[in-house]
Amino acid sequence: MTEVSLTTIVSNYANKLDFLGEDGMSLYINYKDKSLLFNTGTGESVLVNGVRLGIDFSEIDAVFLSHGFRSTAGGLPGVLAFRPKEVFAHPEIFERRYIRDESDFLVSVSSDLQKESITPSQTKLTLNTRTTEVFPGVFFSGEIPFALDAETSIEQKVFKCTGADLVPSSIKDEQFLLLQTQRGWIMVCGGTKRGLLSSIEKALCISKERKLHMLVGRVDFKDDPLALEADAELIDQYFDVFVPTCIYHPKKMEHIHSLLGEKVNYLFIGETIEVY
């Protein structure tokens, strides 16, 4: 009997003509008797692909937002029209953030969500900073402390406005989902901008285990081959299976496969992985 199934609704690659691809991420998760949505992608793709997959958004028990970027939370307004029961996020999910493009112009990467646009939808909004067991065996991580002496992945220099000043943002709102199964713990992440090691250490603290079964979602691998190898070593050390839901640059993908081999199992839009 399937204990948990995870289906990619949104990613940056569509290998079937029926689906829309975008620079975003969303996963539909069936965990025992609960229906969960982890992130909502950038815009309409979550609804278009979800309908084609037969997902009933009105039956979703909880929506989890890993952080407030457009690529993870931009599709929430469309999902709210179906009145899912509850949305979980960090209080700083509404923070406006920017990066500098190749021409040194500031570009917004925030989702433009507003608290006032969620509460009238009859969906409960729960803002958490600490680890929360939302359902039995379903944990939302809370804030992720930086690992001691670990280099973070906030390499694209994300900024926020404080008054009239532009200051670096540490993306304090980043969180991940942790699912307890008989095979071991499943960690679902929408990015590792606060550092892969930081996220793993937080997951081990929550699970009280030395190793986890599966890592699903997006890892923000750096372009530096040595840094990528260091992250791959962490995945190899702490997980049995790595299931990325996005497609990296071909050279980066080739490098990942050379390091992790059969441990990697890509999950394209519309595809499902099950744990029994």
Side-chain angles (χ1 to χ4, degrees), residues 170-186:
S170 63
I171 315 180
K172 197 175 180 180
D173 57 315
E174 183 177 272
Q175 300 189 68
F176 60 82
L177 200 61
L178 204 58
L179 309 173
Q180 187 176 26
T181 75
Q182 294 182 3
R183 293 285 299 274
W185 291 81
I186 298 175

Side-chain angles (χ1 to χ4, degrees), residues 24-169:
M25 183 255 193
S26 180
L27 277 171
Y28 178 69
I29 304 170
N30 278 313
Y31 180 80
K32 299 180 180 179
D33 63 338
K34 301 298 181 183
S35 295
L36 315 175
L37 188 65
F38 184 77
N39 287 335
T40 61
T42 301
E44 66 179 9
S45 293
V46 65
L47 296 182
V48 173
N49 295 342
V51 168
R52 290 173 178 171
L53 289 168
I55 294 171
D56 185 352
F57 289 96
S58 66
E59 295 296 321
I60 291 175
D61 295 289
V63 178
F64 299 91
L65 300 178
S66 65
H67 53 292
F69 279 27
R70 186 183 302 112
S71 59
T72 56
L76 182 62
V79 173
L80 289 176
F82 293 86
R83 299 178 182 177
K85 296 180 178 64
E86 195 163 3
V87 172
F88 290 86
H90 187 279
E92 293 188 8
I93 198 80
F94 308 106
E95 185 177 86
R96 297 292 177 260
R97 298 190 183 91
Y98 308 86
I99 61 172
R100 294 193 182 277
D101 64 12
E102 295 178 354
S103 301
D104 204 34
F105 288 109
L106 282 177
V107 178
S108 172
V109 293
S110 59
S111 65
D112 296 330
L113 286 179
Q114 295 182 358
K115 186 176 181 179
E116 295 75 17
S117 65
I118 299 177
T119 49
S121 67
Q122 298 183 12
T123 294
K124 182 180 178 181
L125 174 62
T126 299
L127 301 176
N128 66 304
T129 60
R130 298 183 177 181
T131 302
T132 304
E133 187 172 13
V134 179
F135 305 111
V138 178
F139 293 80
F140 205 31
S141 70
E143 293 179 3
I144 304 170
F146 287 124
L148 185 63
D149 297 328
E151 184 181 0
T152 71
S153 297
I154 309 175
E155 60 179 349
Q156 71 268 51
K157 297 182 180 179
V158 182
F159 299 92
K160 64 179 180 179
C161 290
T162 302
D165 298 323
L166 197 65
V167 298
S169 170

Side-chain angles (χ1 to χ4, degrees), residues 14 17-18 31 79 82 99 116-117 145 163 194 228 249 262-263:
L17 294 178
D18 293 340
Y31 180 80
V79 173
F82 293 86
I99 61 172
E116 295 75 17
S117 65
R194 289 184 67 85
L228 190 152
H249 186 278
E262 295 182 356
K263 182 167 286 192

